Amino acid sequence: MRLHGKGRALSERVDISELTAEVRRLAAKRDAVVLAHNYQRPEVQDAADFVGDSLGLARQAALAQARTIVFAGVRFMAETAKILAPDRAVLMPEVGAGCPMADMITAEQALAFKQAHPGVPLVTYVNSSAEVKAVSDVCCTSANAIEVVRSLGVGRVLFAPDRNLAAWVASRVPEVEVIAWDGFCPAHEQVTAEALLAQKQEHPEAEVLAHPECRPEVLALADAVLSTSGMLRYAAASASEEFIVVTEEGLLHGLAKAAPGKRFYGLHPAVLCPNMKLTTLAKVRDCLRDGTGAVEVPDEVRIKAAQAVERMVAIG
Ligand code: 13P
Ligand code: SF4
């Protein structure tokens, strides 16, 4: 039985290395750059040209020289790439990969939110549809939300769709009143303070790194609240050897690479984004081979959304 297990693990590794080689060969043939989010499957991250957080990947898309961008992530990220690089083909290996938080506000709802608060700017988290971005004043990511709100120089902002990121920003920028939309990430929302306290008891020396999509009572227990790439940089630079990581478990792969030898603990139950896991290496290969999964944003939406998104990539 053990021999069988070892043999199977080996054949999986061979499959992955063959698929990775195919992905790289097809990317060169198609003149494509492969971008992958930090929550993607390890083998997808390892086959990509760039791995990053929403802000880093948006900036990579804006700079892309290649004719095609293959986006291993979720729809709002690929749409953001298309908004920033309209003359490039943007392909999603899995077109069904969405973000439930992004679906928690429509453009009509965003407009009504603004109309109920005349003159108050709408700051929209990048985890939103292109249509919602098009009616927003500025977008932000988890990496620059605080700086974006500060940059507006106003006393009140509307913030959509993430109520937890909004509460985090409000706690860090107390001079600004933040009026939040009632959306959330189902994966981060299920993290409880009790689950985190249990891990802290198991690993009392560990620093706690948490994503701002977590609830306020969870963030109150963290040593650092950071975007996914912020966590990679923090873990590499910190003197600590152990970390409890309060975000989607795909980040553990990048953390092990960014800070080799350090120890990283997830939570029980694990924080999982099923949409992020829909993209497989075989789908990345198929997309590169067949040119499928094109992401389109109609011009009238794209041009308006670009103003809010371009402001976002310029800040922080
Ligand atoms: P980051 O921009 O921090 O990578 O977060 C994206 C996301 O969807 C978190 O759930
Ligand atoms: Fe959306 Fe949450 Fe998944 Fe991020 S982790 S893509 S916010 S559902």
Side-chain angles (χ1 to χ4, degrees), residues 185-229:
C185 162
H188 288 85
E189 183 73 7
Q190 53 103 22
V191 176
T192 61
E194 291 70 31
L196 176 51
L197 284 168
Q199 256 323 36
K200 274 170 75 86
Q201 219 162 10
E202 286 279 306
H203 307 286
E205 302 298 321
E207 276 195 271
V208 176
L209 311 181
H211 196 277
E213 288 173 13
C214 295
R215 299 171 193 221
E217 65 269 26
V218 171
L219 298 184
L221 297 169
D223 295 294
V225 176
L226 297 160
S227 78
T228 55
S229 289

Side-chain angles (χ1 to χ4, degrees), residues 59-224:
R59 287 181 174 147
Q60 286 297 338
L63 293 172
Q65 297 295 314
R67 275 213 315 253
T68 299
I69 296 169
V70 169
F71 212 114
V74 293
R75 177 159 292 272
F76 76 80
M77 297 178 176
E79 281 184 354
T80 303
K82 186 69 184 176
I83 290 164
L84 288 165
D87 54 345
R88 304 282 186 261
V90 177
L91 307 180
M92 283 184 80
E94 168 53 66
V95 292
C99 168
M101 172 169 18
D103 296 336
M104 290 183 189
I105 187 166
T106 64
E108 291 70 33
Q109 288 172 317
L111 273 175
F113 193 32
K114 282 177 72 164
Q115 275 155 12
H117 303 87
V120 184
L122 173 59
V123 181
T124 297
Y125 191 27
V126 71
N127 299 37
S128 54
S129 69
E131 288 76 13
V132 169
K133 290 180 173 77
V135 298
S136 303
D137 293 280
V138 61
C139 290
C140 70
T141 75
S142 61
N144 67 2
I146 290 168
E147 292 79 5
V148 166
V149 168
R150 278 206 187 110
S151 76
L152 295 173
V154 295
R156 282 214 299 175
V157 298
L158 306 176
F159 195 102
D162 187 2
R163 66 181 181 217
N164 291 332
L165 180 60
W168 169 246
V169 170
S171 73
R172 300 307 302 260
V173 193
E175 65 277 18
V176 179
E177 184 193 352
V178 179
I179 304 168
W181 189 258
D182 196 14
F184 59 89
C185 162
H188 288 85
E189 183 73 7
Q190 53 103 22
V191 176
T192 61
E194 291 70 31
L196 176 51
L197 284 168
Q199 256 323 36
K200 274 170 75 86
Q201 219 162 10
E202 286 279 306
H203 307 286
E205 302 298 321
E207 276 195 271
V208 176
L209 311 181
H211 196 277
E213 288 173 13
C214 295
R215 299 171 193 221
E217 65 269 26
V218 171
L219 298 184
L221 297 169
D223 295 294

Side-chain angles (χ1 to χ4, degrees), residues 24 32-38 40 44-53 56-61 63-66 69-73 229:
R24 298 314 320 162
V33 64
V34 180
L35 306 184
H37 186 261
N38 287 319
Q40 289 289 293
V44 173
Q45 295 188 36
D46 291 345
D49 293 284
F50 297 101
V51 185
D53 63 5
L57 294 175
R59 287 181 174 147
Q60 286 297 338
L63 293 172
Q65 297 295 314
I69 296 169
V70 169
F71 212 114
S229 289

